[in-house]
PDB file of all heavy atoms in Angstrom:
ATOM      1  N   CYS B 424      -3.422 -16.763   5.825  1.00 96.00           N
ATOM      2  CA  CYS B 424      -4.178 -17.289   6.962  1.00 96.00           C
ATOM      3  C   CYS B 424      -3.308 -18.314   7.695  1.00 96.00           C
ATOM      4  O   CYS B 424      -2.803 -19.245   7.086  1.00 96.00           O
ATOM      5  CB  CYS B 424      -5.456 -17.933   6.503  1.00 96.00           C
ATOM      6  SG  CYS B 424      -6.556 -16.783   5.661  1.00 96.00           S
ATOM      7  N   ILE B 425      -3.191 -18.134   9.004  1.00 96.00           N
ATOM      8  CA  ILE B 425      -2.360 -19.033   9.808  1.00 96.00           C
ATOM      9  C   ILE B 425      -3.277 -19.920  10.649  1.00 96.00           C
ATOM     10  O   ILE B 425      -4.118 -19.428  11.383  1.00 96.00           O
ATOM     11  CB  ILE B 425      -1.423 -18.198  10.704  1.00 96.00           C
ATOM     12  CG1 ILE B 425      -0.545 -17.311   9.830  1.00 96.00           C
ATOM     13  CG2 ILE B 425      -0.593 -19.104  11.595  1.00 96.00           C
ATOM     14  CD1 ILE B 425       0.182 -16.230  10.578  1.00 96.00           C
ATOM     15  N   PRO B 426      -3.110 -21.249  10.530  1.00 96.00           N
ATOM     16  CA  PRO B 426      -3.984 -22.168  11.246  1.00 96.00           C
ATOM     17  C   PRO B 426      -3.560 -22.403  12.690  1.00 96.00           C
ATOM     18  O   PRO B 426      -2.494 -21.927  13.124  1.00 96.00           O
ATOM     19  CB  PRO B 426      -3.847 -23.452  10.444  1.00 96.00           C
ATOM     20  CG  PRO B 426      -2.469 -23.386   9.904  1.00 96.00           C
ATOM     21  CD  PRO B 426      -2.132 -21.955   9.689  1.00 96.00           C
ATOM     22  N   GLU B 427      -4.369 -23.156  13.412  1.00 95.00           N
ATOM     23  CA  GLU B 427      -4.206 -23.341  14.839  1.00 95.00           C
ATOM     24  C   GLU B 427      -2.830 -23.910  15.253  1.00 95.00           C
ATOM     25  O   GLU B 427      -2.275 -23.498  16.263  1.00 95.00           O
ATOM     26  CB  GLU B 427      -5.300 -24.272  15.370  1.00 95.00           C
ATOM     27  CG  GLU B 427      -5.304 -24.372  16.864  1.00 95.00           C
ATOM     28  CD  GLU B 427      -6.638 -24.834  17.410  1.00 95.00           C
ATOM     29  OE1 GLU B 427      -7.410 -25.439  16.646  1.00 95.00           O
ATOM     30  OE2 GLU B 427      -6.926 -24.561  18.595  1.00 95.00           O
ATOM     31  N   GLN B 428      -2.271 -24.830  14.446  1.00 95.00           N
ATOM     32  CA  GLN B 428      -1.032 -25.490  14.894  1.00 95.00           C
ATOM     33  C   GLN B 428       0.157 -24.540  15.017  1.00 95.00           C
ATOM     34  O   GLN B 428       1.170 -24.889  15.571  1.00 95.00           O
ATOM     35  CB  GLN B 428      -0.659 -26.685  13.991  1.00 95.00           C
ATOM     36  CG  GLN B 428      -0.341 -26.343  12.549  1.00 95.00           C
ATOM     37  CD  GLN B 428      -1.525 -26.623  11.625  1.00 95.00           C
ATOM     38  OE1 GLN B 428      -2.659 -26.328  11.949  1.00 95.00           O
ATOM     39  NE2 GLN B 428      -1.248 -27.176  10.458  1.00 95.00           N
ATOM     40  N   PHE B 429       0.014 -23.312  14.469  1.00 96.00           N
ATOM     41  CA  PHE B 429       1.125 -22.372  14.565  1.00 96.00           C
ATOM     42  C   PHE B 429       0.862 -21.243  15.551  1.00 96.00           C
ATOM     43  O   PHE B 429       1.565 -20.240  15.542  1.00 96.00           O
ATOM     44  CB  PHE B 429       1.434 -21.789  13.192  1.00 96.00           C
ATOM     45  CG  PHE B 429       1.884 -22.824  12.200  1.00 96.00           C
ATOM     46  CD1 PHE B 429       1.049 -23.183  11.135  1.00 96.00           C
ATOM     47  CD2 PHE B 429       3.104 -23.451  12.336  1.00 96.00           C
ATOM     48  CE1 PHE B 429       1.457 -24.158  10.236  1.00 96.00           C
ATOM     49  CE2 PHE B 429       3.514 -24.438  11.426  1.00 96.00           C
ATOM     50  CZ  PHE B 429       2.685 -24.783  10.378  1.00 96.00           C
ATOM     51  N   LEU B 430      -0.124 -21.412  16.412  1.00 96.00           N
ATOM     52  CA  LEU B 430      -0.497 -20.328  17.326  1.00 96.00           C
ATOM     53  C   LEU B 430       0.613 -19.981  18.314  1.00 96.00           C
ATOM     54  O   LEU B 430       0.663 -18.871  18.835  1.00 96.00           O
ATOM     55  CB  LEU B 430      -1.774 -20.682  18.086  1.00 96.00           C
ATOM     56  CG  LEU B 430      -3.078 -20.390  17.354  1.00 96.00           C
ATOM     57  CD1 LEU B 430      -4.241 -20.706  18.234  1.00 96.00           C
ATOM     58  CD2 LEU B 430      -3.134 -18.933  16.922  1.00 96.00           C
ATOM     59  N   ASP B 431       1.513 -20.932  18.576  1.00 95.00           N
ATOM     60  CA  ASP B 431       2.562 -20.660  19.541  1.00 95.00           C
ATOM     61  C   ASP B 431       3.793 -20.027  18.932  1.00 95.00           C
ATOM     62  O   ASP B 431       4.809 -19.826  19.598  1.00 95.00           O
ATOM     63  CB  ASP B 431       2.925 -21.930  20.314  1.00 95.00           C
ATOM     64  CG  ASP B 431       1.807 -22.309  21.261  1.00 95.00           C
ATOM     65  OD1 ASP B 431       1.370 -21.433  22.033  1.00 95.00           O
ATOM     66  OD2 ASP B 431       1.324 -23.462  21.199  1.00 95.00           O
ATOM     67  N   LEU B 432       3.682 -19.720  17.653  1.00 91.00           N
ATOM     68  CA  LEU B 432       4.790 -19.084  16.968  1.00 91.00           C
ATOM     69  C   LEU B 432       4.862 -17.615  17.352  1.00 91.00           C
ATOM     70  O   LEU B 432       3.837 -16.949  17.494  1.00 91.00           O
ATOM     71  CB  LEU B 432       4.618 -19.229  15.465  1.00 91.00           C
ATOM     72  CG  LEU B 432       5.944 -19.241  14.780  1.00 91.00           C
ATOM     73  CD1 LEU B 432       6.397 -20.680  14.604  1.00 91.00           C
ATOM     74  CD2 LEU B 432       5.834 -18.534  13.454  1.00 91.00           C
ATOM     75  N   SER B 433       6.075 -17.104  17.499  1.00 92.00           N
ATOM     76  CA  SER B 433       6.208 -15.703  17.871  1.00 92.00           C
ATOM     77  C   SER B 433       5.966 -14.806  16.634  1.00 92.00           C
ATOM     78  O   SER B 433       6.301 -15.189  15.528  1.00 92.00           O
ATOM     79  CB  SER B 433       7.575 -15.443  18.465  1.00 92.00           C
ATOM     80  OG  SER B 433       8.506 -15.220  17.436  1.00 92.00           O
ATOM     81  N   VAL B 434       5.353 -13.665  16.891  1.00 94.00           N
ATOM     82  CA  VAL B 434       5.038 -12.756  15.810  1.00 94.00           C
ATOM     83  C   VAL B 434       6.247 -11.880  15.506  1.00 94.00           C
ATOM     84  O   VAL B 434       6.629 -11.041  16.306  1.00 94.00           O
ATOM     85  CB  VAL B 434       3.835 -11.878  16.167  1.00 94.00           C
ATOM     86  CG1 VAL B 434       3.609 -10.808  15.123  1.00 94.00           C
ATOM     87  CG2 VAL B 434       2.592 -12.725  16.324  1.00 94.00           C
ATOM     88  N   ASP B 435       6.908 -12.128  14.381  1.00 94.00           N
ATOM     89  CA  ASP B 435       7.938 -11.224  13.882  1.00 94.00           C
ATOM     90  C   ASP B 435       7.982 -11.379  12.361  1.00 94.00           C
ATOM     91  O   ASP B 435       7.334 -12.241  11.790  1.00 94.00           O
ATOM     92  CB  ASP B 435       9.309 -11.533  14.522  1.00 94.00           C
ATOM     93  CG  ASP B 435       9.778 -12.936  14.294  1.00 94.00           C
ATOM     94  OD1 ASP B 435       9.957 -13.299  13.122  1.00 94.00           O
ATOM     95  OD2 ASP B 435       9.964 -13.690  15.272  1.00 94.00           O
TER      96      ASP B 435
END
Side-chain angles (χ1 to χ4, degrees):
Chain B
C424 299
I425 301 166
E427 187 159 22
Q428 64 260 41
F429 297 110
L430 276 183
D431 288 309
L432 209 93
S433 84
V434 173
D435 59 61

